[in-house]
Amino acid sequence: MHSRGQEHLKVLLRSSVVQKRVREMGQQISKDFKGQRVHLIGVLKGAAIFLSDLIRQIRVEVSLDFMAVSSYGDGSQTSGQVRLVKDLDTSIEGLNVIVVEDILDTGLTLGYLLRVLQQRKPKSLRIAALLDKPERRIKDVKADYVGFQIPNEFVVGYGLDYAERYRNLKDVCVLSLPPS
Ligand code: 5GP
């Protein structure tokens, strides 16, 4: 248990456990797309660390692009609103697209992104999410590749932030905030 001010961090997934699972996810993707090319779309910023590890575990031809959406603002409460902040650089028509997301929570973000991307006629469209909080789902979205299902707690580390902090933690940790 670490703490910073009144904030407490408890390790949920150790770095070694995360690395092993990311390796397996990369192997699965390589198997599913054997002999083909995949186009990864990283959802900024939270998925950046996961994506950078995942892409190096993929053994088929791979290309990369990024999107950014705003959902959470600076706090830990979802606003329920999704806005496209950065669009793709290139067309995805005819490509095997895998959207790489840090965490699937209510499903509002990915639900929105899938709708936008599907209109652009990819050959296939899949989701890889490091974490999944099924309890919180509002929109029925399922990831094709899931690292870990986790309980309904606010997590940080391995790319995930709280008000832009903690992205650099190697482990995924549960963050407890002081009562407001
Ligand atoms: P959704 O739209 O599925 O509710 O939320 C997806 C986004 O909310 C994630 O990409 C992430 O940015 C943020 N989010 C959801 N749960 C957590 C969490 O436990 N920790 C952090 N840091 N962000 C979260």
Side-chain angles (χ1 to χ4, degrees):
M1 178 88 104
H2 322 272
S3 62
R4 180 158 164 176
Q6 288 276 356
E7 296 172 9
H8 290 278
L9 292 171
K10 196 167 116 246
V11 174
L12 179 67
L13 301 165
R14 284 231 169 269
S15 160
S16 55
V17 175
V18 173
Q19 293 300 327
K20 180 168 176 283
R21 185 72 190 115
V22 172
R23 205 155 47 233
E24 289 168 358
M25 293 173 85
Q27 285 165 355
Q28 187 63 51
I29 291 170
S30 308
K31 207 167 130 201
D32 293 351
F33 290 94
K34 196 164 179 229
Q36 301 180 67
R37 170 183 159 198
V38 294
H39 188 66
L40 300 187
I41 296 181
V43 185
L44 294 170
K45 304 172 198 170
I49 312 293
F50 169 45
L51 174 69
S52 73
D53 283 340
L54 182 68
I55 195 169
R56 285 176 287 179
Q57 300 298 335
I58 293 178
R59 297 282 166 255
V60 296
E61 196 183 324
V62 57
S63 49
L64 180 61
D65 206 342
F66 292 97
M67 270 185 144
V69 289
S70 73
S71 51
Y72 259 41
D74 265 0
S76 61
Q77 289 301 305
T78 182
S79 64
Q81 296 228 332
V82 184
R83 199 164 51 90
L84 193 58
V85 176
K86 185 218 170 290
D87 205 341
L88 299 173
D89 289 339
T90 54
S91 163
I92 56 166
E93 193 171 338
L95 300 181
N96 293 311
V97 170
I98 303 179
V99 180
V100 181
E101 176 64 305
D102 51 2
I103 179 163
L104 179 50
D105 187 23
T106 62
L108 292 171
T109 307
L110 277 170
Y112 168 81
L113 280 181
L114 290 183
R115 206 157 16 92
V116 169
L117 295 174
Q118 198 67 67
Q119 287 167 1
R120 302 182 186 183
K121 303 189 175 62
K123 182 176 173 195
S124 62
L125 183 55
R126 294 193 180 186
I127 298 173
L130 178 72
L131 305 172
D132 181 13
K133 281 193 218 170
E135 277 174 59
R136 293 249 308 162
R137 203 74 88 250
I138 294 172
K139 191 137 182 48
D140 184 25
V141 176
K142 284 187 189 66
D144 302 276
Y145 306 97
V146 174
F148 304 90
Q149 287 205 341
I150 61 166
N152 182 15
E153 309 221 55
F154 190 78
V155 291
V156 294
Y158 194 66
L160 287 147
D161 75 312
Y162 173 62
E164 294 301 325
R165 288 160 38 222
Y166 301 119
R167 292 193 198 275
N168 55 328
L169 298 179
K170 288 185 179 168
D171 305 318
V172 174
C173 299
V174 172
L175 177 70
S176 317
L177 297 169
S180 49

